[in-house]
Amino acid sequence: MDNLPEITRLIETLRDSKNLTDEGLAVIIENENATELLAQEADKVRRKIYGDAVYLRGLIEMTNYCKNNCYYCGIRRGNTDAVRYRLTEEEIMACCREGYALGFRTFVLQGGEDLYFTDERMCKIVSDIRKNFSDVAITLSLGEKSRESYQKLFDAGANRYLLRHETASEEHYKQLHPAELSLENRKRCLFDLKEIGYQVGSGFMVGSPFQTTANLIADLRFLQKLDPDMIGIGPFIPHEKTPFADKKQGELTLVLRMVSILRLMFPHTLLPATTALGTIHPQGREMGLKAGANVVMPNLSPVSVRKLYDLYENKICTGEESAQCRGCLEMRVTNAGYHIVTDIGNVKRS
Ligand code: SAM
């Protein structure tokens, strides 16, 4: 459809009412011509709430051991060619010290679901970080756990949790995951995290195998129910040692439209311009910022393990020291017309 007046009307409705019918959403999700208009409106909304500020999250990829076997993920347990590593507590603390000196006030401890990191070990790591850095947000992204475990980690000092729901459609979930994983449990985790008091981030891959427009709309509807503080989306990118090796990667412009739609539907949300977006296009993160994103997540992991946290092919930023990564992103953010702030970067709810 080349109907620009109709697209403009739909985007204005979305901006003003923060909602559209499923039919209206489908039109702007599918229409290439909506990309630029959506970005312009999304940028206005982000500037009204967050100005030109871009928040930094320091990503510490603490382990690539994983007990799960998600069909899309390069660190799935079935990838027996993966060289596995886990950081020691001292290495994690060193990443935090370096990050703090570079102006990071949020650390994101991410990893596969690694049984070595028991609640006891994780709580010790979290409380040691908390003792050393009282003014930072400690974000965990360690997958599905029991409510009790989430509560213990919260009590130890963690205050944010990232857990993408991946897809809100039952059938699609089954196409992306083996039978031992369920959408029901994923959702249970997210609502438990919220009830405990975490600031919660969810999200999904764009262009994952078998994904339809109806699936994307279901993702938006689920997010409306969850009302998360952060929403992380990025393109699916194949990895050669997974069952999805031959699948097509997510399309850049579709990701950008989804970023803008999220900004318009959830004006206050924290929305990263993800590494995956930077991987499929050299200016992907800048485009993400211009489409409504307001967070970047540079890597603070030791360079020696960066290549091993190999979720998908050609992942960027695997060779540079943290300071270089920070410097490179600062330049990119400035060139895109925004500026990085040293701030804990809490959500600004109205
Ligand atoms: N284990 C934790 C979890 O399940 O939330 C955190 C680590 S997991 C590897 C982090 C995210 O990487 C997933 O939520 C998924 O969306 C993303 N991811 C994994 N494989 C990917 C791929 N091939 N392309 C793009 N993103 C991918």
Side-chain angles (χ1 to χ4, degrees):
M1 191 182 77
D2 252 344
N3 189 351
L4 268 182
E6 167 70 352
I7 291 171
T8 306
R9 188 188 63 76
L10 288 169
I11 294 174
E12 284 170 2
T13 310
L14 183 61
R15 178 198 62 199
D16 297 340
S17 71
K18 302 179 189 57
N19 207 354
L20 273 186
T21 59
D22 288 1
E23 294 72 26
L25 282 171
V27 171
I28 56 172
I29 289 173
E30 289 176 355
N31 207 305
E32 214 39 56
N33 290 331
T35 316
E36 191 47 48
L37 284 170
L38 272 167
Q40 283 167 15
E41 289 306 323
D43 188 55
K44 282 186 211 154
V45 169
R46 75 89 82 201
R47 283 181 188 272
K48 211 165 145 191
I49 299 168
Y50 288 100
D52 64 357
V54 172
Y55 298 122
L56 280 181
R57 303 331 192 186
L59 185 62
I60 303 172
E61 297 160 334
M62 52 182 275
T63 172
N64 73 349
Y65 283 87
C66 192
K67 71 175 175 59
N68 292 336
N69 222 5
C70 308
Y71 302 147
Y72 46 83
C73 186
I75 63 168
R76 66 201 301 271
R77 73 161 188 269
N79 178 7
T80 48
D81 289 338
V83 178
R84 304 286 170 175
Y85 75 91
R86 56 174 70 94
L87 299 183
T88 62
E89 175 170 353
E90 187 34 53
E91 286 171 319
I92 294 170
M93 289 304 286
C95 294
C96 294
R97 277 194 294 274
E98 187 177 7
Y100 195 87
L102 289 169
F104 289 82
R105 294 296 176 268
T106 296
F107 303 126
V108 181
L109 272 51
Q110 190 182 82
E113 293 197 17
D114 181 354
L115 296 175
Y116 170 84
F117 287 105
T118 56
D119 288 350
E120 202 186 338
R121 287 194 171 113
M122 256 342 283
C123 285
K124 168 144 182 5
I125 292 170
V126 168
S127 60
D128 285 350
I129 297 176
R130 179 57 67 227
K131 266 182 236 145
N132 281 280
F133 308 97
S134 57
D135 60 342
V136 301
I138 303 176
T139 307
L140 301 178
S141 179
L142 301 170
E144 297 176 21
K145 292 179 183 289
S146 66
R147 186 178 175 122
E148 293 68 41
S149 297
Y150 288 144
Q151 183 70 58
K152 282 185 200 164
L153 292 164
F154 186 78
D155 296 341
N159 39 7
R160 295 181 186 156
Y161 207 100
L162 304 183
L163 185 77
R164 290 181 175 182
H165 64 276
E166 311 295 0
T167 173
S169 312
E170 282 289 352
E171 198 190 323
H172 190 214
Y173 199 90
K174 289 197 183 87
Q175 292 173 308
L176 302 182
H177 302 96
E180 69 259 24
L181 294 172
S182 75
L183 177 59
E184 192 190 350
N185 194 49
R186 200 85 181 166
K187 288 184 180 171
R188 189 273 304 156
C189 289
L190 284 161
F191 286 103
D192 277 351
L193 287 161
K194 261 198 100 160
E195 278 171 26
I196 291 169
Y198 283 92
Q199 295 168 43
V200 171
S202 194
F204 52 92
M205 285 177 291
V206 177
S208 58
F210 316 108
Q211 186 178 65
T212 61
T213 302
N215 294 146
L216 287 171
I217 294 170
D219 290 324
L220 297 173
R221 299 297 179 216
F222 170 69
L223 290 170
Q224 284 179 315
K225 281 200 201 100
L226 181 69
D227 190 24
D229 301 291
M230 295 161 270
I231 304 174
I233 67 165
F236 159 75
I237 305 174
H239 184 289
E240 61 169 338
K241 297 286 165 51
T242 65
F244 289 165
D246 298 326
K247 302 288 184 199
K248 203 165 113 289
Q249 76 179 23
E251 277 172 32
L252 175 69
T253 54
L254 178 58
V255 183
L256 296 175
R257 287 197 294 286
M258 292 309 297
V259 167
S260 301
I261 290 170
L262 288 168
R263 173 60 64 211
L264 295 175
M265 286 179 79
F266 306 89
H268 298 88
T269 200
L270 294 158
L271 202 49
T274 53
T275 306
L277 193 49
T279 298
I280 63 164
H281 189 285
Q283 253 78 55
R285 284 168 299 177
E286 290 89 327
M287 292 175 183
L289 292 173
K290 290 181 184 170
N294 62 339
V295 172
V296 287
M297 297 178 72
N299 206 318
L300 283 180
S301 312
V303 175
S304 58
V305 303
R306 294 254 188 104
K307 278 196 169 39
L308 304 180
Y309 198 76
D310 183 23
L311 308 182
Y312 46 78
E313 272 147 33
N314 305 317
K315 191 171 154 221
I316 53 169
C317 308
T318 55
E320 286 150 358
E321 294 295 339
S322 303
Q324 287 173 294
C325 246
R326 162 80 164 82
C328 161
L329 262 175
E330 176 115 48
M331 200 182 66
R332 286 171 181 274
V333 168
T334 308
N335 288 343
Y338 306 92
H339 86 279
I340 286 180
V341 291
T342 295
D343 190 299
I344 195 163
N346 280 324
V347 71
K348 289 189 182 172
R349 296 253 181 203
S350 51

